[in-house]
Amino acid sequence: MPEGDTIYRAARALQKAIGGKVVTGFETGLAKLARVNDDAPLVGRMVEKVESRGKWCLIFFSGDLILVTHMLMSGSWHLYRTGERWQMGRGRMRVVIRAGDEKENWEAVGFNIPVAEFHTARSLERSGQVPKLGTDILSESFTVEDGVARMAAYGRENPDAEIAVVLLNQRVLAGLGNVYKSEVAFAAGVNPFRAMKTITPREMELMVDRSQRYLKANVVDGKGDGIVTYSGNRRTTHAMDREERLWVYRRQGQECRRCGATVMMRKQGVQARSTYWCPECQPWVGDGDAPVGRAQPVRGREVP
């Protein structure tokens, strides 16, 4: 599923392929994008830059036009040489941007994209979502100190908020998704259901540090040890085997890789997202009994 690392890699690939090139064609299956293109055609504009902000991908065109997309659970950007066969059916296409120069031409195709909007710089600044993001963990300006400060400030205002829900809050730390939420909490030894008022400054530091390390490790460019998140090989352990790449995510009922206890799973938050943890490595701290999860794998499709 697309998280901050996936969007970062997508933006980087789009920038390499179509950044600095002139748009030669544009298609969309979304009426609101088509209306903007009818009034202010993209053809002839230059792709000035492509960047990621948390889980958002922004494509900047000359003439003050920005395409903002969010993949949610199933969206993806693909790159094809002009004329190359698409790997998904045309019915899943939402956006096609053709761009090129004398040397090469590309088609950037957005499939199953649920959120796509055109903005100007001014309307983007007024948007209720993108500008209010916390600092992107993968941005050059991000520091662990800044992340800890934002998390601590949120905790003071929301002392009863559960830490794993806070890790998913893009206005606190931009880029983490459901996989990293569970993995980061495990790496820091923090029970994901603990209230913010029980989290120590050192635990916050560990979680922010691991968040940055994991995301950076999963956007390594090049071959060799580079991790290709596009094909689902996200990794938080040091194992090379794809079956051993994660500590706890989707491993309920299996042995913890550290202590041998049984990994648990429980739905969490208003969106009922699946949270995974080791009750031994991530002990309970707080009032009342420790949360109890499911130890048996869930049959059928679960909410990730």
Side-chain angles (χ1 to χ4, degrees), residues 7 12 22 28 45 47 55 80 107 117 154 162 165 170 178 186 248 252 254-255 261:
I7 306 306
R12 182 173 61 192
V22 175
T28 181
R45 296 175 186 261
V47 179
K55 298 181 182 181
Y80 300 97
E107 288 183 337
E117 300 176 349
Y154 186 87
E162 295 176 345
V165 176
Q170 300 301 296
N178 212 47
F186 174 82
V248 292
Q252 75 269 28
Q254 300 180 46
E255 291 186 357

Side-chain angles (χ1 to χ4, degrees), residues 2-277:
E3 298 194 23
D5 56 348
T6 311
I7 306 306
Y8 179 94
R9 291 178 65 94
R12 182 173 61 192
L14 289 168
Q15 172 63 29
K16 288 182 178 179
I18 65 175
K21 295 183 172 63
V22 175
V23 177
T24 58
F26 179 79
E27 294 181 51
T28 181
L30 302 174
K32 58 184 178 181
L33 297 187
R35 286 194 296 269
V36 173
N37 183 59
D38 288 342
D39 295 336
L42 266 75
V43 172
R45 296 175 186 261
M46 177 178 289
V47 179
E48 294 182 335
K49 64 177 179 178
V50 185
E51 66 180 37
S52 63
R53 295 185 190 175
K55 298 181 182 181
W56 295 84
C57 181
L58 289 76
I59 303 177
F60 293 78
F61 300 94
S62 58
D64 191 22
L65 193 62
I66 308 165
L67 177 60
V68 180
T69 60
H70 195 297
M71 303 296 105
L72 291 184
M73 301 298 294
S74 58
S76 60
W77 278 103
H78 290 204
L79 280 168
Y80 300 97
R81 300 282 185 177
T82 300
E84 185 179 358
R85 184 176 180 179
W86 295 352
Q87 295 180 2
M88 289 189 180
R90 191 171 185 81
R92 297 185 179 185
M93 180 275 288
R94 300 295 179 267
V95 182
V96 181
I97 302 169
R98 298 185 179 89
D101 52 28
E102 295 179 356
K103 296 181 179 180
E104 57 184 0
N105 293 276
W106 290 93
E107 288 183 337
V109 187
F111 292 103
N112 299 323
I113 295 177
V115 181
E117 300 176 349
F118 277 124
H119 281 278
T120 63
R122 186 174 182 182
S123 69
L124 182 62
E125 186 64 30
R126 293 177 174 178
S127 170
Q129 295 176 303
V130 180
K132 293 182 174 60
L133 292 176
T135 306
D136 189 327
I137 296 172
L138 285 170
S139 70
E140 294 182 0
S141 62
F142 181 84
T143 65
V144 172
E145 292 75 17
D146 176 51
V148 171
R150 295 187 68 90
M151 186 180 289
Y154 186 87
R156 288 192 293 270
E157 295 180 2
N158 303 272
D160 294 320
E162 295 176 345
I163 179 59
V165 176
V166 175
L167 288 171
L168 283 181
N169 190 326
Q170 300 301 296
R171 297 188 178 187
V172 180
L173 299 174
L176 294 181
N178 212 47
V179 176
Y180 286 119
K181 170 198 76 178
S182 292
E183 296 292 294
V184 164
F186 174 82
V190 174
N191 188 293
F193 295 90
R194 283 174 53 186
M196 286 300 297
K197 61 188 176 186
T198 72
I199 306 296
T200 68
R202 176 55 179 164
E203 288 171 332
M204 291 186 197
E205 182 181 359
L206 283 171
M207 286 185 285
V208 175
D209 176 75
R210 295 304 183 273
S211 298
Q212 186 181 45
R213 290 190 185 192
Y214 286 166
L215 284 173
K216 282 189 172 182
N218 282 275
V219 297
V220 173
D221 197 7
K223 299 180 180 180
D225 194 43
I227 301 170
V228 183
T229 57
Y230 178 84
S231 61
N233 294 335
R234 186 175 285 120
R235 187 175 74 190
T236 56
T237 69
H238 293 291
M240 295 303 295
D241 190 321
R242 65 179 300 141
E243 300 300 322
E244 299 180 358
R245 287 176 173 263
L246 300 174
W247 291 109
V248 292
Y249 183 74
R250 286 192 170 173
R251 298 192 64 248
Q252 75 269 28
Q254 300 180 46
E255 291 186 357
C256 172
R257 300 193 193 282
R258 282 184 177 168
C259 73
T262 302
V263 174
M264 309 294 285
M265 185 280 287
R266 179 171 173 159
K267 302 294 185 178
Q268 186 176 22
V270 296
Q271 295 180 323
R273 305 295 295 277
S274 302
T275 295
Y276 303 80
W277 82 103

